[in-house]
Amino acid sequence: GMPFPGNADAQRLLPQRRFFGSLLDPSSFQRETFVCETLDRWLPSPPPKSSMVALEIEPESSRYWPYLRPADCKWYMDRIYVVGELYGERLQKKEMQEMAATAEGMGASLRALAWRKAGIPSEVKPGSIDMGLMADGAFTALGPKKTEAALKRMYIMLKNSGRFYIVANEQDEKMALRGQLDIGFEPEVLLKLGWQIRASKRDHGL
């Protein structure tokens, strides 16, 4: 198995990042801490001063973006792409402004792209993304068919050395992925697209 930092590490990491969620809600705080400390162990370690590019599919917010950089980060987040088909339905101007502010706080530019047809956006080259992300709730909102299309597109856009992070809740697994995200028990939709789970951790309903 893979070691994970304890509570002391989580307390060290969280204050250095823009924190989303109410501190008055213990369950929300615990989920955020869990995501932060888990992603921190799985982040890439590129050479110092490298420029990295991240992409999230169908985000509702930018709450996990600060966790894509380690606390002692020695590389740059150059650009963050957000892409999806549901933007007109789900995202308002306020959410986009918050995403832009989060990206700016990380030293990155933000590019929001809508998928109008099959395939990947022309602005994103195949094999160009260092870190991909899909967050809890996105899978359920998309449903099984569009989830599969999103996973296929991510596979095309991600570098061979890239890392794809999935944060999914139980409803996402049941309704859209139709399987549990555990090592050796990958949902069929992942396997048939060529994905293999390299690490997983489960807690707080995620």
Side-chain angles (χ1 to χ4, degrees):
M2 183 176 292
F4 298 95
N7 291 336
D9 292 297
Q11 291 168 7
R12 174 181 60 83
L13 294 170
L14 282 168
Q16 299 182 45
R17 309 174 186 207
R18 186 174 176 185
F19 187 80
F20 293 87
S22 171
L23 296 180
L24 299 178
D25 179 358
S27 62
S28 175
F29 180 80
Q30 289 170 351
R31 284 194 299 271
E32 293 279 346
T33 301
F34 170 65
V35 173
C36 174
E37 66 178 11
T38 302
L39 287 181
D40 196 68
R41 284 293 183 180
W42 297 343
L43 294 176
S45 299
K49 299 184 179 181
S50 297
S51 293
M52 304 286 280
V53 179
L55 182 148
E56 182 171 1
I57 293 178
E58 301 292 357
E60 290 183 326
S61 73
S62 53
R63 67 188 186 277
Y64 296 145
W65 295 1
Y67 308 157
L68 295 177
R69 299 177 75 241
D72 56 346
C73 190
K74 295 180 175 62
W75 47 266
Y76 303 103
M77 183 70 79
D78 181 57
R79 174 167 291 188
I80 299 174
Y81 288 101
V82 292
V83 295
E85 297 175 341
L86 302 179
Y87 274 117
E89 301 171 27
R90 297 169 66 201
L91 285 186
Q92 304 299 320
K93 186 176 181 180
K94 178 183 176 183
E95 282 87 357
M96 290 306 304
Q97 289 175 337
E98 290 176 350
M99 289 183 183
T102 302
E104 183 179 359
M106 298 170 65
S109 62
L110 177 67
R111 188 83 171 91
L113 306 172
W115 273 324
R116 305 295 184 190
K117 57 184 179 180
I120 66 174
S122 59
E123 293 92 334
V124 181
K125 304 303 179 188
S128 65
I129 301 300
D130 296 290
M131 290 180 282
L133 173 67
M134 285 188 74
D136 47 307
F139 304 93
T140 300
L142 286 172
K145 187 175 180 180
K146 288 186 176 181
T147 287
E148 181 173 346
L151 293 170
K152 183 176 182 180
R153 287 163 161 170
M154 183 65 84
Y155 192 88
I156 294 171
M157 294 184 290
L158 201 69
K159 290 180 178 179
N160 288 337
S161 60
R163 303 189 181 196
F164 179 28
Y165 305 108
I166 293 177
V167 183
N169 57 37
E170 293 171 0
Q171 188 176 14
D172 291 327
E173 290 181 314
K174 182 178 180 181
M175 302 299 295
L177 294 164
R178 297 184 174 178
Q180 292 190 329
L181 296 169
D182 297 316
I183 297 175
F185 297 92
E186 287 87 351
E188 183 181 349
V189 64
L190 291 181
L191 290 175
K192 79 178 193 177
L193 294 174
W195 291 110
Q196 182 181 10
I197 297 175
R198 302 298 299 270
S200 67
K201 190 171 174 66
R202 184 178 297 274
D203 207 348
H204 301 293
L206 298 175

